[in-house]
C-alpha cells in the first residue's frame, strides 16, 4: 500500500464504527466481510480484517457482488449477552452485579433492538438469582438453593461447595492448591458424602504429586552434574554470574521450604533442585495414599451431613426437647464439626 493510501486508511478507520462489518456474497460463491468506507456507482471500498491486528483497504466491483448483508450494531452487542446464562456456580452477588450492568447497558444503547425481549428475560433471571444469593442462598450444581434449604442442609452444601472448588483446581492442573484445599476440607467434611465422592480423584492427584517428586529425586544428581559441566564450559565472567544466580535461587528455595515447614504446611512447594522438599513430598504422598486406601464408606448414622439435617429438621418441626437433644448428640457422634453443632444448639435455644 502506498504511504498516502495508508494515511487515508488510518483516518478512515478512526471514523469507522469499530467491530461492525457487512458480509458481501460474491458471484464466485465466496464471502467477504468488511466495513464500507466509500461507495460509488461502480464499486465498494472496504476495510477488511487481514489478521487480528492488521486491517487493509480493498476495492470490490459491484458487478462481482450478489448480495450485501448488513450487520446491525445491536447484533454484535447482543452476542455476549446471549451467552451470560447459565451463570456458573458459587458466584457472589457482586459477580451478578457486573452481568446485570452489562445487560442494562445493552438495553439502554439499543432500546429498539429485536433482542430487547430476550435481554429483559436474561435480566430478570439474573436479578432473581442475585436476590437469592444476597439473602443467603447459593447456586450449586446449576441449581439455586434458597436460604431456607441452605440452612437446613448447611453442612452438606458447604461440603459440596468446597468439593467443587477442589475439582476446579484439579481441572486447571493446580495440583498443589488442590491438595492444600483438600487438607482443610478433610478437617471439617471427612464424614460427608462429598468426601467420599472426591476421594478417588484426590488419590490420583496425590499419586501425580508424589510421582513428580520421585522423578525429580531420581534425576537430581544427574541434573546437578550437567549443570556443573555447563558452568565449567563458560567464560570466567559468565560462570561467576551464573553461579551467583544459582546460589541465590538455591537459597530462595531453601528459605521457602523452611518457612512452609515452620508454618506447619503439609503439602510443600517442591523445587526440582531442593532435595528436602522433594523427599517431604514423597513421604507425605505415601502417608496420604495409605490413608485414602484405608478410607471406608460412610456407615449408617455416620453421615455428618445427614445427621446435621435431621437435627435441624427436629428443631424446626416442633420435636420435644429430649428428641432434639438426642439428635444433636447423634450429630456430634457422626462427626458434625463444632461450628455446625453450635448452630444447632443456638437454633434449639430460640423460642
Amino acid at each position: 500500500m502506498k504511504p498516502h493510501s495508508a494515511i487515508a486508511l488510518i483516518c478512515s478507520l478512526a471514523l469507522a464504527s469499530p467491530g461492525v462489518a457487512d458480509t458481501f456474497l460474491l458471484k464466485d460463491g465466496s464471502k467477504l466481510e468488511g466495513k464500507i468506507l466509500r461507495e460509488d456507482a461502480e464499486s465498494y471500498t472496504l476495510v477488511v480484517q487481514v489478521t487480528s491486528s492488521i486491517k487493509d483497504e480493498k476495492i470490490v466491483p459491484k458487478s462481482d457482488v450478489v448480495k450485501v448483508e448488513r450487520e446491525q450494531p445491536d447484533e454484535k452487542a447482543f452476542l455476549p449477552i446471549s451467552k451470560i446464562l447459565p451463570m456458573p456456580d458459587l458466584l457472589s452477588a457482586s459477580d451478578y452485579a457486573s452481568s446485570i450492568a452489562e445487560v442494562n447497558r445493552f438495553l439502554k444503547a439499543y432500546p429498539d433492538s429485536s433482542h430487547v425481549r430476550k435481554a429483559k428475560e436474561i435480566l430478570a433471571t439474573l436479578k432473581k438469582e442475585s436476590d437469592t444469593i444476597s439473602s443467603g442462598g447459593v447456586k450449586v450444581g446449576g441449581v439455586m438453593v434458597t436460604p431456607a434449604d441452605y440452612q437446613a442442609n448447611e453442612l452438606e452444601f458447604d461440603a459440596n461447595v468446597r468439593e467443587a472448588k477442589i475439582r476446579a483446581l484439579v481441572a486447571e492442573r493446580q495440583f498443589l492448591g488442590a491438595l492444600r484445599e483438600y487438607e482443610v476440607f478433610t478437617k471439617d467434611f471427612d464424614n460427608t458424602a462429598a468426601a467420599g465422592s472426591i476421594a478417588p480423584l484426590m488419590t490420583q492427584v496425590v499419586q501425580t504429586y508424589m510421582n513428580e517428586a520421585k522423578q525429580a529425586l531420581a534425576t537430581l544428581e544427574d541434573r546437578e552434574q550437567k549443570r556443573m559441566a555447563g558452568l565449567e564450559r563458560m567464560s570466567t565472567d559468565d560462570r561467576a554470574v551464573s553461579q551467583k544466580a544459582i546460589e541465590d535461587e538455591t537459597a530462595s528455595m531453601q528459605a521457602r521450604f523452611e518457612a512452609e515447614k515452620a508454618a506447619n504446611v503439609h503439602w510443600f512447594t517442591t523445587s526440582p533442585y531442593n532435595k528436602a522438599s522433594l523427599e517431604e513430598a514423597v513421604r507425605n504422598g505415601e502417608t496420604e495414599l495409605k490413608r485414602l486406601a484405608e478410607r471406608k464408606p460412610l456407615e449408617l448414622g455416620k453421615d455428618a451431613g445427614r445427621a446435621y439435617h435431621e437435627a435441624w429438621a427436629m428443631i424446626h418441626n416442633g420435636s420435644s426437647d429430649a428428641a432434639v437433644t438426642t439428635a444433636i448428640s447423634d450429630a456430634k457422634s457422626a462427626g458434625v464439626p463444632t461450628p455446625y453443632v453450635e448452630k444447632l444448639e443456638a437454633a434449639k435455644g430460640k423460642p
Side-chain angles (χ1 to χ4, degrees):
M1 183 184 294
K2 295 180 180 180
H4 70 275
S5 298
I7 294 172
L9 177 57
I10 292 171
C11 294
S12 300
L13 289 176
L15 297 174
S17 300
V20 181
D22 299 324
T23 300
F24 293 77
L25 306 179
L26 306 182
K27 287 182 177 180
D28 63 4
S30 63
K31 292 183 179 181
L32 180 65
E33 291 189 354
K35 176 67 181 177
I36 298 175
L37 291 179
R38 295 181 296 277
E39 178 182 355
D40 57 33
E42 302 297 328
S43 64
Y44 299 103
T45 300
L46 310 177
V47 174
V48 295
Q49 196 82 39
V50 180
T51 69
S52 59
S53 59
I54 300 175
K55 294 181 180 180
D56 200 359
E57 190 174 303
K58 185 177 181 66
I59 297 176
V60 180
K62 286 187 173 181
S63 59
D64 291 344
V65 178
V66 176
K67 183 181 179 183
V68 179
E69 296 179 347
R70 307 280 183 175
E71 182 179 30
Q72 300 301 320
D74 67 310
E75 293 292 333
K76 187 162 188 175
F78 182 71
L79 185 59
I81 302 294
S82 67
K83 298 178 181 179
I84 286 179
L85 297 179
M87 292 288 277
D89 290 353
L90 312 178
L91 295 184
S92 65
S94 61
D95 293 322
Y96 274 84
S98 61
S99 294
I100 289 171
E102 185 179 355
V103 180
N104 279 327
R105 283 193 296 270
F106 172 83
L107 291 170
K108 183 177 180 180
Y110 306 104
D112 298 322
S113 170
S114 61
H115 298 296
V116 165
R117 182 180 63 81
K118 184 61 179 178
K120 288 183 177 180
E121 291 176 358
I122 293 171
L123 182 63
T125 299
L126 290 173
K127 287 183 176 179
K128 184 177 179 180
E129 292 189 3
S130 177
D131 289 345
T132 298
I133 291 170
S134 295
S135 61
V138 66
K139 188 173 187 179
V140 181
V143 177
M144 293 302 303
V145 180
T146 66
D149 285 342
Y150 173 72
Q151 291 172 4
N153 299 276
E154 188 168 354
L155 177 58
E156 184 176 351
F157 280 124
D158 286 353
N160 290 339
V161 167
R162 294 296 289 273
E163 178 194 3
K165 289 181 178 179
I166 295 169
R167 289 185 181 278
L169 288 170
V170 174
E172 295 168 2
R173 301 190 65 78
Q174 296 183 35
F175 297 140
L176 181 59
L179 287 168
R180 288 176 174 175
E181 283 288 333
Y182 181 63
E183 181 181 12
V184 177
F185 171 88
T186 57
K187 291 177 181 177
D188 284 339
F189 305 116
D190 209 33
N191 284 1
T192 65
S197 174
I198 202 171
L201 175 64
M202 295 314 298
T203 298
Q204 297 175 20
V205 172
V206 173
Q207 190 72 62
T208 298
Y209 171 83
M210 188 177 67
N211 287 347
E212 289 177 352
K214 283 184 174 180
Q215 178 66 20
L217 279 172
T219 61
L220 178 58
E221 185 176 349
D222 183 56
R223 286 184 288 110
E224 288 179 334
Q225 290 176 354
K226 288 181 178 179
R227 185 164 67 175
M228 289 302 298
L231 287 171
E232 291 173 0
R233 290 193 295 269
M234 294 180 180
S235 66
T236 302
D237 290 344
D238 288 345
R239 186 186 307 122
V241 172
S242 297
Q243 186 65 49
K244 180 64 167 58
I246 291 172
E247 290 172 356
D248 289 345
E249 182 181 8
T250 300
S252 176
M253 290 188 298
Q254 183 62 26
R256 179 172 61 185
F257 170 70
E258 291 175 357
E260 290 184 351
K261 197 164 188 177
N264 293 318
V265 172
H266 185 69
W267 298 105
F268 291 94
T269 305
T270 57
S271 301
Y273 285 96
N274 186 278
K275 187 177 182 180
S277 70
L278 296 171
E279 289 174 339
E280 286 285 357
V282 173
R283 280 194 291 269
N284 292 337
E286 289 174 343
T287 300
E288 184 64 11
L289 284 178
K290 182 179 179 181
R291 187 190 75 83
L292 285 165
E294 295 174 350
R295 191 179 190 281
K296 297 179 180 179
L298 289 178
E299 300 176 4
L300 186 64
K302 295 296 183 180
D303 184 334
R306 177 181 295 180
Y308 178 89
H309 170 72
E310 289 177 352
W312 183 271
M314 283 192 174
I315 292 169
H316 291 82
N317 289 343
S319 299
S320 66
D321 287 346
V324 170
T325 299
T326 299
I328 293 177
S329 178
D330 289 343
K332 292 178 181 178
S333 299
V336 172
T338 299
Y340 295 88
V341 172
E342 290 173 349
K343 290 182 180 182
L344 293 173
E345 291 174 338
K348 175 188 173 184
K350 290 180 179 180

